[in-house]
């Protein structure tokens, strides 16, 4: 493994940092990389959901919400991700 490989938790951390500074596109990219590395946790899905909403991309937010709800039907972020913010 080279020093250039960033592990999933590093991508997740970067996503959280980008959310805090309202860099939503960068946050979405970081969370997508986290998922691509196999770290499909509730917090990663929720971060990606918030990043898409921050970008005004309700279509992708809804896609992530549906994927989250299929993966974590009793998840801790279920109510937030079912809420009116993603309804068309």
């Amino acid at each position: 493994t080279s020093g250039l490989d960033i592990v999933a938790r590093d991508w997740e951390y970067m996503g959280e940092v980008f959310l805090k500074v309202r860099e939503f596109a960068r946050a979405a990219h970081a969370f997508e990389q986290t998922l691509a590395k196999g770290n499909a946790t509730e917090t990663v899905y929720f971060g990606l959901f918030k990043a898409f909403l921050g970008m005004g991309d309700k279509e992708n937010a809804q896609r992530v919400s549906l994927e989250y709800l299929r993966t974590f039907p009793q998840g801790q972020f279920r109510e937030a991700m079912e809420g009116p913010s993603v309804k068309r």
Side-chain angles (χ1 to χ4, degrees), residues 49-79:
F49 171 79
K50 291 188 294 185
F52 282 134
L53 283 183
M55 292 174 11
D57 187 346
K58 289 187 177 184
E59 186 176 317
N60 272 317
Q62 186 174 43
R63 176 186 55 79
V64 170
S65 174
L66 293 173
E67 188 174 330
Y68 170 85
L69 294 169
R70 277 193 302 273
T71 308
F72 302 101
Q74 300 302 318
Q76 64 180 329
F77 303 115
R78 187 187 63 191
E79 287 184 27

Side-chain angles (χ1 to χ4, degrees), residues 11-12 14-19 23-36 39-68 77 81 86:
W11 280 112
E12 182 177 0
M14 290 185 341
E16 292 294 339
V17 169
F18 286 134
L19 274 181
E23 291 281 340
F24 299 117
R26 293 173 115 182
H29 175 73
F31 288 122
E32 287 172 333
Q33 290 299 311
T34 305
L35 289 173
N39 188 25
T41 66
E42 289 188 61
T43 55
V44 171
Y45 277 108
F46 193 50
L48 184 56
F49 171 79
K50 291 188 294 185
F52 282 134
L53 283 183
M55 292 174 11
D57 187 346
K58 289 187 177 184
E59 186 176 317
N60 272 317
Q62 186 174 43
R63 176 186 55 79
V64 170
S65 174
L66 293 173
E67 188 174 330
Y68 170 85
F77 303 115
M81 293 176 82
V86 293

